Amino acid sequence: MKPKLAIVSLGCDKNRVNTEKMLSQISDLVTFSSSEDAEYVFINTCGFLESARQELFEILDSFRPEQKLILAGCFWKFADEGFYARFPNVISFLKDGDDIRKIVTDLAGARYIARPQKQLGNTIFLTPPSYAFLKVSEGCDNHCTFCIIPQLRGKYHSRKIEEILEDAKVYLERGVKELILVAQDVGNYGADLDLALVCLLREIEKLPVEWIRLLYLYPERISDELLSFIAKSKKVLPYFDMPLQHAADSVLRRMGRPYKKAEIVNLLGKIRAKLPEAVIRSTFIVGFPGETAADFEELKTFLKSQKLNHVGVFGYSDEELCSAYKLKDKVEQKTIQKREKEIMELQKKISAEHLAKFVGKEIRVLIDGNPEEGVYIGRNFYFAPEVDGALYFNSGLQPAAIGEIVKVQITEAGEYDLFGEISS
Ligand code: SF4
């Protein structure tokens, strides 16, 4: 009888890709089951913020003592003796490169059998069949003072183009229409292989994919070459997920970000000049040590003038392993929360302004979900999955399916979402 195994994948989309890959290695050895019924639970952990580590403890506490827990992921750095004493049912913590198949066969007391040839690609998918995340590299060479990811994931190393194309083909065979390139720093792809991101994009473009989306573009890496490539491409979306973190030069300097506000403004101008329909997503940290009221005002002024399409904002998390931890002038928690709220309120209006421009238009929509009969959830190039809003539409009597691209007439716009009717 195959052991029953449940899956918990925490953290970022890179971690989710790792979960898919690891579980695809054992999909013929186990029966995937609910957490309730499972003998074993595989948990791919996140560890980069205190809040993520607390979330993990709550999840580990939710399992019964007799359920055996197999862990992997970024929490490895914090898994000390005290941790194992607190969670004695954690029976294994996989490090990168460990053979999960060997571990599961050992645990099940079974004989090790190599994976059937025909099952070499992914067989486990953790996204709807409309889109998939394509991890292009691991690690990071940047030194942002608020971030421990380089300590958790190591130095930047690009995956080989052939490997990435192999993954892409498996996803496309599944019917995926949109491939989303992810890494800590997608723009740095190939730097360690004497290649550039456009080399990879050129190859992916040759595949039968509709949309190619780039996430995690470090501002410094958005070159003229990349902009020209996207401007000419029929498949790479004019969507720029570019974490800027702040807009006040003094804060950027203390964050270890190698650019100034003037350079960001210049870059945004260049992107919009080359790609008038460009969609800009960014994330910001408020409450960084030493952030003054004037710095915060500067960030608000920047957001009001630049009118970015999508903005995520996070309160600074004082992480002991980060160099920012040693900085003086820590900002009070209630001030951090107040500033976070202010940015959200400000951005809500800007987001609504952008979305209102779609009303009355007919747009191509990729269907991600079908929550109830005749009602669908989808996205066009304007929305990245899971982080941005979405588009809700009725199909009337017309049949439609997840993974299909249909035309939708936009009838209404909200603060984050669009609403419409299928047109063909
Ligand atoms: S770019 Fe900065 S924030 Fe992003 S993973 Fe690297 S060090 Fe962390």
Side-chain angles (χ1 to χ4, degrees):
M1 208 19 202
K2 291 181 179 176
K4 287 185 180 167
L5 182 128
I7 308 168
V8 180
S9 189
L10 303 171
C12 63
D13 34 46
K14 280 85 62 189
N15 230 23
R16 181 141 27 130
V17 173
N18 294 348
T19 303
E20 287 183 341
K21 282 188 173 303
M22 281 189 267
L23 293 172
S24 296
Q25 296 295 316
I26 59 168
S27 55
D28 59 321
L29 298 178
V30 299
T31 304
F32 292 108
S33 82
S34 68
S35 296
E36 197 47 41
D37 299 345
E39 295 156 74
Y40 295 91
V41 184
F42 173 82
I43 304 167
N44 199 1
T45 66
C46 173
F48 110 105
L49 287 177
E50 178 55 27
S51 53
R53 299 190 290 271
Q54 285 312 321
E55 183 197 8
L56 175 64
F57 292 157
E58 283 152 30
I59 288 168
L60 295 176
D61 278 331
S62 72
F63 292 107
R64 300 187 301 276
E66 72 276 12
Q67 291 180 298
K68 302 181 190 74
L69 312 180
I70 304 167
L71 271 54
C74 292
F75 187 81
W76 66 268
K77 187 127 183 121
F78 304 91
D80 55 14
E81 265 175 44
F83 171 76
Y84 289 107
R86 177 170 169 186
F87 301 106
N89 54 345
V90 172
I91 55 170
S92 179
F93 203 124
L94 282 87
K95 290 185 291 312
D96 283 0
D98 279 357
D99 179 355
I100 187 173
R101 199 173 170 81
K102 176 137 186 10
I103 287 165
V104 169
T105 32
D106 290 354
L107 289 171
R111 195 165 54 79
Y112 183 84
I113 309 160
R115 192 139 179 260
Q117 195 59 31
K118 65 179 177 6
Q119 269 190 13
L120 278 181
N122 275 16
T123 50
I124 301 295
F125 303 101
L126 299 175
T127 56
S130 46
Y131 65 87
F133 296 105
L134 204 50
K135 194 176 81 171
V136 300
S137 67
E138 191 53 278
C140 184
D141 287 349
N142 302 313
H143 304 287
C144 308
T145 60
F146 53 83
C147 177
I148 62 169
I149 291 177
Q151 296 174 50
L152 301 176
R153 308 307 302 178
K155 286 193 71 52
Y156 195 95
H157 48 281
S158 304
R159 299 181 65 213
K160 293 200 183 69
I161 290 190
E162 308 74 57
E163 284 173 25
I164 298 168
L165 294 178
E166 271 317 302
D167 288 358
K169 287 174 191 155
V170 170
Y171 289 131
L172 294 170
E173 270 154 31
R174 185 186 174 220
V176 160
K177 297 282 187 317
E178 178 180 357
L179 290 172
I180 304 164
L181 275 59
V182 295
Q184 305 304 348
D185 180 353
V186 164
N188 198 28
Y189 178 79
D192 52 335
L193 300 175
D194 216 9
L195 292 169
L197 177 57
V198 289
C199 309
L200 173 62
L201 293 175
R202 215 169 273 126
E203 296 309 315
I204 298 177
E205 262 201 338
K206 293 176 187 157
L207 300 175
V209 58
E210 286 276 338
W211 294 343
I212 302 168
R213 192 183 299 267
L214 308 177
L215 298 185
Y216 308 99
L217 287 168
Y218 200 75
E220 295 289 281
R221 321 260 189 233
I222 300 180
S223 62
D224 293 351
E225 186 195 20
L226 179 62
L227 289 182
S228 305
F229 186 93
I230 297 174
K232 284 197 214 87
S233 174
K234 293 208 172 12
K235 297 186 176 183
V236 183
L237 299 173
Y239 182 97
F240 295 84
D241 170 41
M242 188 166 64
L244 294 170
Q245 309 301 2
H246 213 282
D249 291 351
S250 59
V251 180
L252 288 168
R253 197 176 50 254
R254 285 198 305 283
M255 284 180 163
R257 304 290 281 190
Y259 48 79
K260 291 192 165 69
K261 182 173 70 179
E263 290 156 276
I264 302 172
V265 171
N266 180 36
L267 175 62
L268 290 167
K270 204 161 55 171
I271 292 173
R272 287 166 168 161
K274 193 110 188 156
L275 296 138
E277 74 293 0
V279 176
I280 313 280
R281 148 170 267 280
S282 190
T283 48
F284 297 86
I285 294 175
V286 292
F288 189 79
E291 182 191 62
T292 62
D295 293 331
F296 182 61
E297 279 312 312
E298 196 173 346
L299 175 58
K300 287 199 292 181
T301 310
F302 169 83
L303 289 170
K304 282 180 197 150
S305 62
Q306 289 300 324
K307 292 186 183 296
L308 305 181
N309 304 86
H310 307 282
V311 165
V313 60
F314 302 91
Y316 170 72
S317 177
D318 206 19
E319 299 290 327
E320 216 168 317
L321 292 177
C322 286
S323 52
Y325 188 76
K326 301 185 191 67
L327 293 174
K328 292 197 191 65
D329 308 324
K330 298 281 165 71
V331 179
E332 276 184 44
Q333 208 46 43
K334 70 177 180 356
T335 307
I336 294 179
Q337 283 152 5
K338 186 170 153 296
R339 289 178 179 171
E340 222 176 311
K341 245 166 122 211
E342 268 189 66
I343 297 288
M344 292 296 281
E345 284 308 311
L346 183 162
Q347 183 59 26
K348 204 190 278 183
K349 299 191 194 84
I350 294 171
S351 175
E353 251 176 65
H354 282 298
L355 290 178
K357 296 174 197 146
F358 283 99
V359 176
K361 293 213 171 100
E362 183 187 68
I363 57 175
R364 293 181 77 230
V365 172
L366 171 58
I367 303 177
D368 292 332
N370 174 200
E372 55 189 88
E373 200 176 340
V375 176
Y376 293 85
I377 300 176
R379 294 166 298 108
N380 69 337
F381 77 95
Y382 190 86
F383 301 105
E386 302 170 24
V387 286
D388 298 336
L391 203 149
Y392 299 80
F393 67 94
N394 297 309
S395 72
L397 299 172
Q398 192 165 321
I402 296 175
E404 212 185 321
I405 293 185
V406 295
K407 287 203 176 121
V408 174
Q409 189 70 30
I410 304 302
T411 53
E412 196 191 331
E415 283 154 349
Y416 301 113
D417 304 310
L418 290 174
F419 306 88
E421 303 289 332
I422 202 164
S423 46
S424 67

